[in-house]
Amino acid sequence: VQLVESGGGSVQAGGSLRLSCAVLGYTHMRYCMGWFRQAPGKEREGVATIDSRGSTIYADSVKGRFTISKDNAKNTLYLQMNSLKPEDTAMYYCAADPYLPSCSGLSALGYWGQGTQVTVSS
């Protein structure tokens, strides 16, 4: 499976961005997928995951502000990010594992995109 992210950019605090992740090589998305991020000097962290049934899990730091969703017809995963904060600044990665119908919390997955940068200024 190949994952291609888009939608990153620079925004002021309080603004919004929507990240997209196009899934290539699979005709469906009935498996665990997620968004992860890594800020400079910090470890990668899970942001949100969604499983084959559409059940979602969010990191505490983004609950109520971010929404993960998927469009099966377009084979695309999304991350809607609202009320952005400077601490949300990071490289954001789309990830998936076609062998996992369910997600194990925000654990890392087997396949990764190249990442898209999100920068939030105060």
Side-chain angles (χ1 to χ4, degrees), residues 17 26 29 34 38 55 63 96 111 117 120:
L17 284 173
Y26 263 74
M29 296 195 299
Q38 186 167 22
S55 296
K63 280 180 182 177
Y111 295 84
Q117 178 68 39
V120 184

Side-chain angles (χ1 to χ4, degrees), residues 33-57:
M33 302 187 70
W35 290 96
F36 296 75
R37 67 186 181 186
Q38 186 167 22
K42 294 187 177 182
E43 293 187 354
R44 183 180 61 197
E45 63 174 349
V47 175
T49 57
I50 184 168
D51 70 10
S52 59
R53 298 167 299 172
S55 296
T56 57
I57 300 171

